[in-house]
Amino acid sequence: MIGLFGEVAGLGLAAVDVVGIVFMPILLAQPRGLRRALVFLGGSLVALVVMGLVFTTGVGKVVVRLTDRMPWLVPGIEVAGGVIVLAVGIYMVVRTARGAKAHAPDSLVERLALPEPALFAFGAGLVAVQSVIDVVFVVAMVEIGTKGLALVSVVGLVVTYAVTALAIQAAVVVAYVLTPVGRRAQVMEALTAWLTRSGELWAGVVALALGVALIWLTGPDLVAALHGGR
C-alpha cells in the first residue's frame, strides 16, 4: 500500500501543468494576490479530487470487469500512456529547441481577473477539462481504481495525487510568502520570465522521464499478459 501511495505521488509530481504554474505569479501580483492564488488552487484541488473519484469509482470498475476477459488491458493502458507521454515530452523539448516559449493563452489569463467565486470555478473547470485529456491522470486513476481498495483508501490515494499534482503551484505561493515584501514583485517577475523561457523545456524533460519509466516498468507486464492470453 505504501508503494502505491509512492507511485501515485510520483505520477502527481510528474503531471507538470506549465500553464497552471505560470498563472501563480500573475495571481500573486494582483490586489489580495495571496488570497486569490489560494482560491484558484482550492478550485483546482476540489476538481482534481472530484474527477479522481469519478474515474476511480466509475472507469476503474469498468476496467476491472473487462480485465477478466482482457488481462492485458491495464498494462496496455499504462504502456500506451507511457508512449503518449514520451511523444509529448519529445514534442515539448523540440519546440523549446526551436525557440518556442511557454505562454498561457491571453483568453485564459483574462479569466484571472474574475471575482473570487468565479475564479474558484475557473480553477476547477480548467483542471476538470485538463484531467479528461491528461494521460498521467488517467493512468494514475486506472491504477487506483483497479486495485479493489476500500473507499477510504481510494479517497486517500486520490487526494495524494491531487496534492502532489498541485505541489509546484503551491511551492510558488510558499516562495512568495517567504520572500520579503519589498522583493516580492521582483522575484515574481523573475520567476515568470524563467517559466516563459524554460518552463516548457523542463516539463518536456519530466514527460520524457515519465514516459520511459512507464514503458520500462509496465512493458513486461503487458508482454506477460499477452503471452498468457494465447
Side-chain angles (χ1 to χ4, degrees):
M1 190 65 181
I2 295 176
L4 183 57
F5 270 98
E7 179 183 350
V8 169
L11 287 168
L13 288 171
V16 180
D17 177 11
V18 177
V19 172
I21 297 170
V22 169
F23 280 170
M24 288 298 101
I26 298 173
L27 284 166
L28 290 166
Q30 295 176 354
R32 302 190 312 277
L34 179 58
R35 177 186 174 91
R36 290 179 62 78
L38 292 176
V39 167
F40 180 85
L41 277 176
S44 300
L45 180 64
V46 169
L48 272 175
V49 172
V50 171
M51 290 294 293
L53 291 175
V54 168
F55 267 73
T56 52
T57 59
V59 176
K61 289 184 177 180
V62 172
V63 173
V64 168
R65 289 196 295 269
L66 291 175
T67 51
D68 291 335
R69 291 182 287 112
M70 297 179 288
W72 50 265
L73 185 58
V74 172
I77 290 173
E78 293 175 343
V79 170
V83 171
I84 294 171
V85 171
L86 182 62
V88 170
I90 293 171
Y91 172 75
M92 295 173 78
V93 170
V94 170
R95 261 178 49 89
T96 305
R98 292 178 176 175
K101 296 181 178 180
H103 174 68
D106 293 338
S107 59
L108 293 182
V109 173
E110 290 172 1
R111 303 293 192 280
L112 300 181
L114 291 168
E116 288 179 5
L119 182 63
F120 181 93
F122 172 59
L126 182 63
V127 167
V129 171
Q130 288 175 329
S131 297
V132 174
I133 59 175
D134 185 353
V135 175
V136 178
F137 173 83
V138 172
V139 168
M141 295 308 113
V142 168
E143 185 70 11
I144 296 169
T146 55
K147 297 299 185 184
L149 301 170
L151 181 59
V152 64
S153 297
V154 171
V155 172
L157 287 163
V158 170
V159 171
T160 297
Y161 177 88
V163 169
T164 53
L166 297 172
I168 298 178
Q169 288 96 312
V172 174
V173 175
V174 172
Y176 174 84
V177 172
L178 296 178
T179 300
V181 175
R183 298 189 63 246
R184 284 177 176 174
Q186 179 184 355
V187 170
M188 289 299 106
E189 287 177 6
L191 177 60
T192 300
W194 183 86
L195 288 170
T196 301
R197 184 176 62 254
S198 304
E200 187 166 345
L201 171 62
W202 285 106
V205 170
V206 170
L208 285 172
L210 177 62
V212 170
L214 282 172
I215 296 169
W216 179 265
L217 294 174
T218 60
D221 293 336
L222 176 59
V223 172
L226 289 172
H227 287 174
R230 290 179 180 176

